[in-house]
Amino acid sequence: MTLVIVVVVAIVVIVAIALIVSYNRFVKQRNLIQESWRQIDVELHRRYDLIPNLVETVRAFAAHERHVFEEVARLRTQAVSAEGASPEQRAAAEGQLSGALRQMMISVEAYPQIQSNQNFLNLQRELTDTEDRIAAGRRFYNANVGDYNTRVESFPSNLIAGGFKFEKAGYFEVKDESVRSVPQVSFGTIGSVAGEQAPPQMQPGHQSSGQIQPQMPGTEQGGYPQQGQPQFPPQGQSPYAGQPPVGGPPAGAPGPQDGQPPFTGGQ
């Protein structure tokens, strides 16, 4: 009887410890998600502060692009007002704002005087750095959300999640189609560098530069036999008649005298 009580108590203690560990892990993951989201929110606010200065700088050189500036200002106000929304709603608002900023930058390319303005270049650099930090924070946040949501749905941790109201977290995903689109690749000029012409193709009968190709007897330039001549040398005659052997003396040189070793081409 005593042994049964000890076993039951041990099981209860093990289950209680497992529940505590699982619950504490849920709390830790939830706090990590909140902290990573706060880091993204800081960078988003920094972008909100940079956009008005950037718009005013561009407006001074391209005042007639009024519709582009108004759209950026409207979407910035919309993104700021969505601060208390869910990550999915924030992501949708930020995606629209990013698209409007990209459209404004495309319009700026038509004004070389803006590209040489130092104030614009500094703001553009700061905005680019901010976008990079937002992208890095988004990856870290989504990774934490993925781990947390996996535990919420997995057994037996889903029992703890259901009992203590741990709900799934939302992702901060990019909704901009231009970011998700696959770049178009052309394979029409394989082997050539962009801006350079592809090397010309060799035509039959033409030798490539830098290479020496022997011409067979009875053939004309290009390797084709001349009309009226056989393709092979006459019977009984070597195709290398009149040519010096490899490593031997020149053609027409006197042969070795009696008692002298033959010429071998070496020293």
Side-chain angles (χ1 to χ4, degrees):
M1 184 65 179
T2 305
L3 181 61
V4 175
I5 296 175
V6 172
V7 172
V8 172
V9 172
I11 294 176
V12 171
V13 171
I14 293 174
V15 172
I17 293 175
L19 291 175
I20 294 173
V21 171
S22 181
Y23 176 85
N24 291 339
R25 187 178 176 186
F26 270 117
V27 173
K28 182 179 179 180
Q29 288 182 306
R30 184 177 60 185
N31 293 338
L32 184 60
I33 290 175
Q34 294 174 354
E35 177 63 26
S36 57
W37 176 255
R38 281 192 288 268
Q39 295 297 327
I40 295 177
D41 192 61
V42 169
E43 299 301 332
L44 291 178
H45 276 278
R46 177 173 175 79
R47 185 168 72 161
Y48 299 153
D49 295 336
L50 290 174
I51 289 176
N53 296 331
L54 184 65
V55 170
E56 291 301 324
T57 302
V58 175
R59 191 196 302 271
F61 296 90
H64 59 283
E65 300 286 351
R66 180 178 178 181
H67 63 286
V68 178
F69 306 141
E70 292 179 349
E71 183 68 11
V72 171
R74 183 184 68 82
L75 292 176
R76 175 188 174 275
T77 304
Q78 177 180 332
V80 171
S81 61
E83 288 185 7
S86 63
E88 293 90 344
Q89 295 173 344
R90 292 288 300 274
E94 296 297 332
Q96 295 178 358
L97 179 59
S98 298
L101 285 173
R102 188 175 297 105
Q103 183 63 35
M104 186 181 71
M105 291 302 178
I106 294 175
S107 302
V108 164
E109 294 179 358
Y111 302 92
Q113 63 274 23
I114 303 179
Q115 300 291 338
S116 60
N117 184 269
Q118 190 62 37
N119 188 29
F120 170 79
L121 295 178
N122 293 335
L123 290 173
Q124 187 182 34
R125 187 181 305 109
E126 292 182 15
L127 184 62
T128 302
D129 295 340
T130 302
E131 296 286 352
D132 293 340
R133 288 192 292 269
I134 292 175
R138 182 175 63 246
R139 289 191 296 267
F140 181 66
Y141 171 82
N142 289 337
N144 293 328
V145 170
D147 295 339
Y148 173 80
N149 290 344
T150 300
R151 292 198 64 231
V152 170
E153 297 177 339
S154 301
F155 180 85
S157 57
N158 59 347
L159 301 178
I160 307 299
F164 293 95
K165 306 301 181 181
F166 288 102
E167 299 179 353
K168 293 178 61 176
Y171 289 93
F172 187 68
E173 297 180 329
V174 178
K175 301 298 183 180
D176 193 354
E177 295 297 333
S178 62
V179 177
R180 293 180 176 270
S181 61
V182 179
Q184 300 295 328
V185 180
S186 175
F187 295 94
T189 56
I190 296 179
S192 61
V193 182
E196 297 183 358
Q197 296 182 355
Q201 298 182 356
M202 295 297 299
Q203 299 294 334
H206 294 277
Q207 298 180 358
S208 61
S209 59
Q211 297 181 355
I212 302 177
Q213 299 179 0
Q215 181 175 352
M216 297 298 296
T219 59
E220 61 181 359
Q221 185 178 3
Y224 295 96
Q226 299 179 359
Q227 296 181 358
Q229 293 186 3
Q231 299 183 12
F232 301 95
Q235 184 177 5
Q237 181 179 353
S238 172
Y240 302 100
Q243 299 184 4
V246 178
Q257 301 295 330
D258 294 339
Q260 295 182 357
F263 180 78
T264 59
Q267 298 294 335

